[in-house]
Amino acid sequence: MKQKPTESVILDAAMRVFTRKGFAATRTEEIAKEAGMNRALLHYYYRDKQTIFNLIFERRFSEFFKGLFIIFETDSPLFEKIEKMVDHEISTISQHPDLPRFILMEVAQHPERLIEYGQKLGLNPRIFLEQFEGQVQAEVRAGRIRPIEGRQLVINIMSLCMYPFVAKPIIKTMMQLDESKYFEMQERRKKEVYEFIIHAIKVSV
Amino acid sequence: MKQKPTESVILDAAMRVFTRKGFAATRTEEIAKEAGMNRALLHYYYRDKQTIFNLIFERRFSEFFKGLFIIFETDSPLFEKIEKMVDHEISTISQHPDLPRFILMEVAQHPERLIEYGQKLGLNPRIFLEQFEGQVQAEVRAGRIRPIEGRQLVINIMSLCMYPFVAKPIIKTMMQLDESKYFEMQERRKKEVYEFIIHAIKVSV
DNA sequence: GTCTATAATTTGATAGAC
DNA sequence: GTCTATCAAATTATAGAC
């Protein structure tokens, strides 16, 4: 019956609270409570609030971007790549529904972190984006999809996958969905979003 | 040369700061500074920080939802309604790019406000949603659009319009856009998003 | 009405006992 | 390693002069 080391108990608790509330609204007291310990112990293991936050942010930043960039990197055909992106995003984010809001909130406050942590992770959006744009242009020239800017397509794909999570509280309330109904709706979206995109770009037959 | 009453100078300043930072990260000092006055004066006109925030939230909440619901209410044909929604959302939000993030952040923290302020504004999402779903089903049955759930379509439309604003810092950085290039991209989106949606739902010819 | 000065409160960080 | 007690700093709110 080995128990988790206190360091990770703290980090796990901090992850939940920071993700829920963001940096500014988080009280170290709440992290300690969530971790089932005293506030002082947080400072014993980690210098201060900011230090804990940075560790959490790096972890969550990686979760948010890493998988996506791996799919960007593969050289699958366009439609297959889109299918993978949609399925991956909706599936993984479903397990961490408030991850996008957390990242977007904190990046909006400190855009410089996007560059800093992006480099730390070795992400190079420019290369991936250019590659994807080239792929889209090739399909357009081949007459398989209608004319569309590659970057507009990327934005559309990300929007369709991410926004329903970012707007989760609004959607749940407006559509009167409980947690499980909301989850089912997201499950259906995997197919729905993929088909929506394919119909949107492929030339009529 | 009549000058603005101090009350509205305060509210305008508070609107900018709260929208930028959210409630928790906002310092009343910054509001006062932005309004060009002393902190104490804020308390002379308004009881406290929370009071000012509530006024701002109500105002911005209305901006965010009111126009959208008006379009939902009209009885235009489906495609025309979609065109109006897309154009309205992208146009008006372009002038207040951080409005969606503000609403989403604060509603995520306090979902009960959605109901409270929604009622205050007299919004009834259920009716609008049912009406829209009926309209979509009619089009499906008439064979003019492919089978799609009305609410999935609503989510898709909102996603395509809103997310690019919510993710503005990420998009600007990744695509290396300055403020004016970002604005141009959004201008092109009015047409792009509308056509994307129409192609996505209409049956092939 | 607007300011300066100050009080009160909240929060984060440290010291020291066990 | 974990806690209690305490301090320090930041932030909000109020009192009172002008």
Side-chain angles (χ1 to χ4, degrees):
Chain A
M1 193 67 197
K2 72 156 183 266
Q3 59 186 5
K4 267 192 177 170
T6 309
E7 289 101 314
S8 32
V9 174
I10 293 172
L11 284 186
D12 289 352
M15 169 119 84
R16 288 192 294 277
V17 181
F18 276 132
T19 305
R20 210 158 53 220
K21 310 260 231 181
F23 180 80
T26 289
R27 303 288 92 106
T28 55
E29 173 64 39
E30 192 175 347
I31 296 176
K33 190 182 144 207
E34 178 107 8
M37 68 187 61
N38 195 280
R39 229 164 58 250
L41 209 48
L42 267 47
H43 294 286
Y44 175 78
Y45 283 99
Y46 303 98
R47 195 169 322 283
D48 55 18
K49 184 184 172 185
Q50 188 65 57
T51 301
I52 305 180
F53 179 82
N54 290 347
L55 290 169
I56 298 301
F57 184 79
E58 184 172 357
R59 194 195 273 192
R60 304 239 77 176
F61 187 89
S62 169
E63 280 178 63
F64 187 73
F65 284 109
K66 209 58 178 276
L68 182 63
F69 274 72
I70 288 170
I71 293 169
F72 255 111
E73 260 178 332
T74 64
D75 56 354
S76 321
L78 183 63
F79 285 12
E80 196 182 316
K81 193 178 278 190
I82 291 174
E83 187 173 17
K84 278 185 193 159
M85 286 171 66
V86 170
D87 188 76
H88 172 269
E89 290 301 291
I90 298 183
S91 298
T92 62
I93 305 295
S94 273
Q95 284 155 287
H96 308 278
D98 43 12
L99 178 55
R101 195 183 317 113
F102 171 72
I103 298 292
L104 290 168
M105 267 176 51
E106 299 301 332
V107 167
Q109 292 300 311
H110 298 281
E112 71 282 3
R113 284 187 191 146
L114 192 55
I115 300 182
E116 184 192 337
Y117 286 84
Q119 286 173 342
K120 218 180 232 180
L121 273 177
L123 305 180
N124 193 331
R126 221 178 328 159
I127 290 176
F128 296 140
L129 211 57
E130 275 168 22
Q131 197 276 336
F132 188 79
E133 285 181 317
Q135 190 171 11
V136 169
Q137 279 316 308
E139 294 290 312
V140 171
R141 278 195 300 271
R144 280 191 291 272
I145 67 174
R146 63 176 186 82
I148 186 173
E149 284 180 58
R151 46 183 63 194
Q152 294 277 1
L153 181 54
V154 173
I155 293 176
N156 291 350
I157 296 170
M158 289 299 106
S159 299
L160 290 165
C161 293
M162 294 293 176
Y163 188 76
F165 291 102
V166 181
K168 182 178 172 184
I170 292 181
I171 290 173
K172 278 183 69 174
T173 302
M174 287 211 172
M175 301 189 172
Q176 300 184 299
L177 308 173
D178 59 24
E179 198 61 26
S180 79
K181 292 272 178 204
Y182 174 84
F183 188 78
E184 285 167 25
M185 182 275 286
Q186 286 284 12
E187 277 302 304
R188 292 199 301 280
R189 275 188 80 72
K190 287 180 198 170
K191 185 159 172 283
E192 160 59 32
V193 168
Y194 172 68
E195 288 183 353
F196 193 85
I197 296 169
I198 298 306
H199 281 97
I201 62 176
K202 79 162 185 231
V203 290
S204 307
V205 271
Chain B
M1 193 68 201
K2 69 153 183 265
Q3 57 186 6
K4 267 191 179 173
T6 309
E7 288 100 315
S8 34
V9 173
I10 293 173
L11 283 187
D12 289 351
M15 166 119 87
R16 288 192 294 277
V17 180
F18 276 131
T19 305
R20 211 159 52 223
K21 311 259 231 182
F23 179 80
T26 289
R27 301 290 90 106
T28 54
E29 172 64 40
E30 194 176 344
I31 296 175
K33 192 182 142 205
E34 180 105 6
M37 69 186 60
N38 193 280
R39 229 164 58 252
L41 209 50
L42 304 186
H43 293 286
Y44 176 78
Y45 284 97
Y46 303 97
R47 196 169 322 283
D48 55 19
K49 186 184 170 183
Q50 189 66 56
T51 301
I52 304 180
F53 179 83
N54 292 346
L55 290 169
I56 298 301
F57 184 79
E58 183 171 358
R59 194 197 272 194
R60 303 240 77 175
F61 187 90
S62 168
E63 280 179 63
F64 187 73
F65 285 109
K66 209 60 178 270
L68 182 61
F69 273 72
I70 287 169
I71 293 169
F72 255 109
E73 261 178 335
T74 64
D75 57 353
S76 323
L78 184 63
F79 285 12
E80 195 181 315
K81 193 179 278 190
I82 292 175
E83 187 173 17
K84 276 185 196 159
M85 286 170 67
V86 170
D87 188 76
H88 172 268
E89 289 303 289
I90 298 184
S91 298
T92 61
I93 306 293
S94 273
Q95 284 154 288
H96 308 278
D98 41 13
L99 177 56
R101 194 183 316 114
F102 171 72
I103 297 293
L104 290 168
M105 268 177 50
E106 300 300 334
V107 167
Q109 293 300 309
H110 300 280
E112 72 280 3
R113 282 187 191 147
L114 192 54
I115 301 181
E116 184 192 338
Y117 285 85
Q119 287 173 342
K120 217 180 232 180
L121 273 176
L123 304 180
N124 194 332
R126 221 177 329 157
I127 291 176
F128 296 142
L129 211 55
E130 273 167 23
Q131 197 277 335
F132 188 78
E133 284 181 318
Q135 189 171 13
V136 169
Q137 280 316 308
E139 294 290 313
V140 170
R141 278 195 298 273
R144 283 190 290 271
I145 67 173
R146 64 176 186 82
I148 186 172
E149 283 180 59
R151 45 182 63 192
Q152 293 278 359
L153 180 55
V154 173
I155 294 176
N156 291 350
I157 296 170
M158 287 302 104
S159 298
L160 290 165
C161 293
M162 293 294 177
Y163 188 76
F165 291 102
V166 180
K168 181 178 174 185
I170 293 182
I171 291 172
K172 278 183 70 174
T173 302
M174 289 211 169
M175 301 190 171
Q176 301 186 299
L177 309 172
D178 59 23
E179 198 61 27
S180 80
K181 292 271 179 205
Y182 174 83
F183 188 77
E184 286 166 26
M185 183 275 286
Q186 287 284 14
E187 277 301 304
R188 290 199 303 281
R189 276 188 80 72
K190 287 180 200 171
K191 187 159 169 282
E192 159 59 32
V193 168
Y194 172 68
E195 289 184 353
F196 194 86
I197 296 168
I198 297 305
H199 281 99
I201 61 176
K202 80 161 184 232
V203 289
S204 308
V205 272

